[in-house]
Amino acid sequence: MFVRVDEHPTLKLRWATPCILALMVGVAVWEFLLTVPARAKFMQEWGVVPAELSLQWQGSGIASAKLFSALFVHVDSAHLFGNLLFLMLFGFAVERVFRSRLVLLLFLLCGAIANIASAFLLTNKTGPIVGASGAVSGLIGAYLFLFPRASLGIVLPLGLYFQFVRVPASTLIGLWFLLQVLYTVTGTSISAVAWLAHVIGFIAGFVLAQVLKPLLYSNARSKILH
């Protein structure tokens, strides 16, 4: 028997993306109320410090949890806003296909993988790695795998007017990914942004989406058999 799985199923409750958004905003509010020295200490305590990573793994499980806690800590409001925007754009779309618990797993795994790769490959070993960029990039990679023929709407400024156009998602995301690779190669010396985390997170999300997608078919078949 062949089971057709709808690419755009309607789920009664999509809780993963809203919960991630709420947690990111909640941590940011707490963090931004701190003084500058206290905020720096907060990022150092809850972010991933490459020089300490091996020592963290030799210690308690709480220390290793920084690979995940760092995803909810941001440097400033601009850093937070960018991640919130892309999370809303792509998180809800991916959650239309994957169940919420799989989206949460995808977010955390991509973020942790991006943090590990950044910690070992970046030259700065003492500064903390914080932010959800790697995890959000993973959702972008998953979106590209799930919706390769989708279109994304963008607004182009044309003089005094704005024109709304639809562009293939593969084109926009492909250009975005090439920029991340370019910044990874040339921008590490002039920017504090861990561009490498974007690249690694995107690749991890694309691959993990392929691994997780068969669960949709097994779940659909299980419902039919029961």
Side-chain angles (χ1 to χ4, degrees):
M1 176 183 295
F2 291 93
V3 180
R4 181 180 181 275
V5 177
D6 187 2
E7 290 290 330
H8 306 278
T10 300
L11 301 179
K12 293 183 179 180
L13 178 62
R14 301 167 186 162
W15 54 263
T17 302
C19 286
I20 294 171
L21 287 167
L23 186 56
M24 286 170 58
V25 172
V27 172
V29 170
W30 168 266
E31 180 185 355
F32 296 161
L33 290 175
L34 299 174
T35 62
V36 174
R39 187 185 305 176
K41 182 180 179 181
F42 181 84
M43 288 190 289
Q44 199 76 18
E45 290 179 346
W46 294 100
V48 176
V49 180
E52 301 174 356
L53 188 59
S54 60
L55 296 177
Q56 290 173 2
W57 282 345
Q58 295 174 10
S60 65
I62 296 178
S64 298
K66 289 186 177 183
L67 290 171
F68 305 104
S69 65
L71 303 178
F72 302 95
V73 180
H74 291 82
V75 175
D76 51 35
S77 58
H79 187 203
L80 172 68
F81 178 78
N83 283 332
L84 290 177
L85 177 61
F86 279 90
L87 177 58
M88 287 189 290
L89 287 175
F90 295 99
F92 284 111
V94 172
E95 202 163 351
R96 290 167 59 189
V97 175
F98 285 152
R99 294 183 181 276
S100 294
R101 61 178 179 270
L102 293 182
V103 173
L104 179 60
L105 177 64
L106 187 69
F107 179 87
L108 293 175
L109 284 180
C110 289
I113 291 171
N115 284 339
I116 292 173
S118 298
F120 281 101
L121 297 178
L122 290 178
T123 56
N124 185 358
K125 298 297 183 181
T126 58
I129 299 172
V130 297
S133 300
V136 173
S137 297
L139 293 179
I140 298 176
Y143 178 91
L144 181 61
F145 173 77
L146 295 171
F147 308 106
R149 297 180 180 85
S151 296
L152 295 174
I154 60 174
V155 177
L156 296 177
L158 300 176
L160 299 176
Y161 302 95
F162 294 91
Q163 180 66 45
F164 179 82
V165 297
R166 300 191 70 85
V167 181
S170 57
T171 300
L172 284 180
I173 295 176
L175 290 174
W176 171 86
F177 180 73
L178 288 177
L179 283 175
Q180 309 313 302
V181 174
L182 178 63
Y183 290 147
T184 298
V185 175
T186 64
T188 53
S189 61
I190 60 175
S191 174
V193 178
W195 300 107
L196 179 63
H198 302 183
V199 175
I200 298 298
F202 176 86
I203 296 174
F206 190 87
V207 173
L208 287 174
Q210 299 180 59
V211 174
L212 295 175
K213 191 174 182 182
L215 294 177
L216 297 175
Y217 294 91
S218 62
N219 289 336
R221 184 172 184 273
S222 177
K223 291 180 179 179
I224 290 177
L225 293 177
H226 289 83

